[in-house]
Amino acid sequence: MDNNFERMLETMKQPNPGTDGTFKWRLDSELDWTEATTARAELWNLSGGRKKWCVYARTGSHLTNDLFHYIFQLDYIDENVIDKTLTLGEQGLTFTHYYSIGNPEYNVIDALSAKVSIRLDPKNNTFKGHFEATFGSNVKSPNGEFNLTSQPVGS
């Protein structure tokens, strides 16, 4: 398993490591927003020299058996600003949902469809935009927004 992914999974076990900005969502047609207690945006170095931008956010943890987590990733191209809307598969976009099903287990569901509108500025380490995803008839569909600042690579 990839070290970046393992590190993200490890944060799910922590009570609340904090956020690097805001990440919030609504489910289906609900009016109330849920704001992540942990949210991060990072550049992940993968095997074979590949890189991916990764944005992940959650509420709860394994410790309290109430984990509710979203992650989306897109391929790193270069250090130029990305300012566009992507659908699932474009620029490697993936969108995944994790949620507790009993300590310490969780379900993992990949989105059937997703759209992420993002302004990502690698030089200023900022990620801003909104998203929507569908996961099937048994899982509510999120729509939300994010405004995160990542830590510079190597810090």
Side-chain angles (χ1 to χ4, degrees):
M1 189 177 285
D2 179 87
N3 286 339
N4 297 298
F5 189 73
E6 289 173 1
R7 187 178 71 240
M8 185 220 35
L9 290 176
E10 191 61 32
T11 68
M12 288 197 236
K13 296 176 185 174
Q14 299 172 12
N16 183 5
T19 66
D20 292 329
T22 59
F23 188 107
K24 60 184 180 177
W25 64 86
R26 293 186 284 208
L27 298 174
D28 289 337
S29 59
E30 293 177 2
L31 298 177
D32 294 331
W33 289 93
T34 298
E35 189 159 342
T37 54
T38 300
R40 298 276 189 270
E42 300 174 340
L43 179 61
W44 286 4
N45 294 303
L46 306 174
S47 60
R50 293 180 30 240
K51 296 179 180 182
K52 283 198 172 266
W53 294 111
C54 177
V55 175
Y56 57 95
R58 71 165 166 94
T59 60
S61 76
H62 281 302
L63 297 175
T64 52
N65 197 31
D66 61 351
L67 178 68
F68 197 90
H69 181 96
Y70 291 115
I71 177 174
F72 66 85
Q73 299 177 56
L74 57 136
D75 292 336
Y76 170 85
I77 307 271
D78 55 31
E79 290 296 309
N80 290 319
V81 170
I82 297 170
D83 192 358
K84 60 182 167 182
T85 298
L86 300 166
T87 58
L88 205 58
E90 284 185 282
Q91 197 171 328
L93 179 66
T94 61
F95 204 110
T96 306
H97 174 41
Y98 298 76
Y99 60 93
S100 295
I101 57 172
N103 251 345
E105 297 180 25
Y106 53 90
N107 256 353
V108 180
I109 302 174
D110 292 323
L112 299 174
S113 68
K115 182 167 62 171
V116 175
S117 296
I118 189 168
R119 177 165 171 73
L120 190 162
D121 184 342
K123 292 180 180 139
N124 291 311
N125 300 307
T126 57
F127 298 69
K128 185 175 183 175
H130 54 91
F131 64 90
E132 58 187 63
T134 58
F135 293 94
S137 60
N138 295 331
V139 178
K140 292 183 177 184
S141 299
N143 67 78
E145 56 192 51
F146 54 93
N147 188 352
L148 300 167
T149 302
S150 70
Q151 299 302 311
V153 176
S155 65

